[in-house]
Amino acid sequence: MNADSEAPRADTPTQHDQHGRWPQAASVEDFRRNLAAVRERIAAACRRAGRDPAGVRLLPVSKTVDEARIRLAYQAGCRFLGENKLQEAARKWEAMSDLADLKWSIIGHLQTNKAKLVARFAAEFQALDSPRVAEALDRRLQAEGRALDVFVQVNTSGEASKYGLHPDDVQDFLRQMRAYSALRVRGLMTLALFSAEAERVRRCFVLLRTLRDRLRQDAPAGIGLDELSMGMSGDYEIAIEEGATVVRVGQAIFGARSTPDAYYWPTADPQPAS
Ligand SMILES: *Cc1c(COP(=O)(O)O)cnc(C)c1O
């Protein structure tokens, strides 16, 4: 593939125009095709950015998808799935415990009183943004005798409706994390502005990367900042151009959701703001 044939990176559009239109995957073949299409776009974004595609993990997001379709995705090769709501994830984990190598990543906001459940079954938690949750999680994990990979969620869009720490508060937060030996901090996570204007979306990703680069210079011992979880169906290509190591992709793999985004991040616009 000739790098010159790729669009200049700054012009990469969002795919938000697909929002609500992604076709439903209803067979193993559908899933294979969707996964291949997303991987091809990941590879193309990596070429534009001069990156190795092996440095980008695709995390399929299966929220609202029922067990039967998740089993099809499993047959198509999915072994690690992201879920926003803990209760829904726990239900699926129990229902599909026969799939011994299927792992679950919790990517949505967590209440302190649910820490015990996360500690029991989650393989990863990507939405850590409060010392109280960190403390509760660590205590529960110590009791279970296990450790958990976590990402610190940062609010890069400045929208009050988004969860995550203010960028200025991340450094102090990371220092506090040293006390919690069962939490293995792997990096930062964010949700970009939901906008059809690619440049405004890109700014969120640039903010997360530059914050990570700055913090990594004097990160506390034991705090890893190699990972950047950013990008979803509508904007993962831009996120990869800006350094994403994990992209969380739901609708482009599973199909459009009927549940509005406002259910997951309160007061989000139903349509992309422009
Ligand atoms: C649902 C969700 C995603 C994936 O969104 P899609 O539009 O389905 O790709 C990514 N991150 C978080 C936190 C989510 O809740």
Side-chain angles (χ1 to χ4, degrees):
M1 181 66 69
N2 178 357
D4 294 339
S5 67
E6 305 290 350
R9 49 190 288 188
D11 290 346
T12 306
T14 69
Q15 294 188 72
H16 285 319
D17 56 341
Q18 283 291 313
H19 202 71
R21 300 204 190 101
W22 298 100
Q24 295 301 308
S27 67
V28 179
E29 260 326 297
D30 288 348
F31 279 107
R32 290 214 175 98
R33 192 189 52 238
N34 290 353
L35 287 162
V38 171
R39 290 213 175 90
E40 180 42 49
R41 282 174 172 268
I42 289 173
C46 284
R47 282 195 296 273
R48 291 195 292 276
R51 298 184 57 194
D52 180 354
V56 180
R57 166 159 62 108
L58 171 60
L59 178 65
V61 175
S62 54
K63 67 193 189 200
T64 75
V65 179
D66 65 19
E67 181 184 338
R69 291 174 68 228
I70 290 178
R71 285 180 182 273
L72 297 177
Y74 178 88
Q75 287 180 57
C78 296
R79 292 293 181 274
F80 202 176
L81 296 175
E83 286 281 343
N84 185 298
K85 301 271 183 195
L86 180 64
Q87 238 77 25
E88 181 180 344
R91 223 186 320 113
K92 291 173 177 175
W93 163 66
E94 284 196 321
M96 286 175 266
S97 54
D98 56 306
L99 307 177
D101 58 348
L102 181 57
K103 297 191 297 177
W104 299 94
S105 177
I106 306 301
I107 61 174
H109 184 72
L110 184 68
Q111 286 168 327
T112 312
N113 61 3
K114 306 274 172 55
K116 186 179 183 176
L117 193 51
V118 174
R120 197 184 313 151
F121 79 93
E124 179 178 86
F125 175 50
Q126 290 207 0
L128 185 62
D129 65 357
S130 109
R132 286 185 59 231
V133 168
E135 199 270 333
L137 258 183
D138 186 71
R139 187 156 30 84
R140 291 301 182 177
L141 287 161
Q142 304 281 2
E144 301 264 347
R146 56 179 294 238
L148 183 69
D149 288 342
V150 298
F151 291 59
V152 175
Q153 185 171 355
V154 182
N155 182 339
T156 55
S157 66
E159 297 164 292
S161 62
K162 294 272 170 65
Y163 293 113
L165 294 169
H166 188 283
D168 293 345
D169 296 335
V170 179
Q171 184 160 34
D172 273 349
F173 185 78
L174 291 177
R175 287 205 188 97
Q176 292 177 302
M177 289 308 99
R178 283 179 301 184
Y180 305 128
S181 58
L183 301 181
R184 291 186 301 227
V185 178
R186 296 302 194 199
L188 308 179
M189 178 273 223
T190 201
L191 281 150
L193 190 71
F194 191 66
S195 168
E197 274 180 69
E199 271 316 304
R200 298 178 68 202
V201 174
R202 184 182 295 274
R203 273 203 289 277
C204 298
F205 299 140
V206 169
L207 197 160
L208 197 71
R209 169 169 45 82
T210 52
L211 177 67
R212 189 277 307 270
D213 291 348
R214 187 152 42 79
L215 294 173
R216 196 154 58 170
Q217 285 169 15
D218 56 355
I223 302 291
L225 288 177
D226 291 332
E227 304 283 347
L228 288 175
S229 176
M230 54 190 198
M232 33 207 277
S233 293
D235 57 20
Y236 66 88
E237 297 162 278
I238 299 172
I240 288 168
E241 290 171 355
E242 298 303 340
T245 63
V246 182
V247 291
R248 310 176 308 268
V249 178
Q251 299 177 85
I253 295 170
F254 290 91
R257 280 184 299 276
S258 50
T259 322
D261 289 337
Y263 180 65
Y264 297 99
W265 37 90
T267 80
D269 293 331
Q271 291 301 319
S274 51

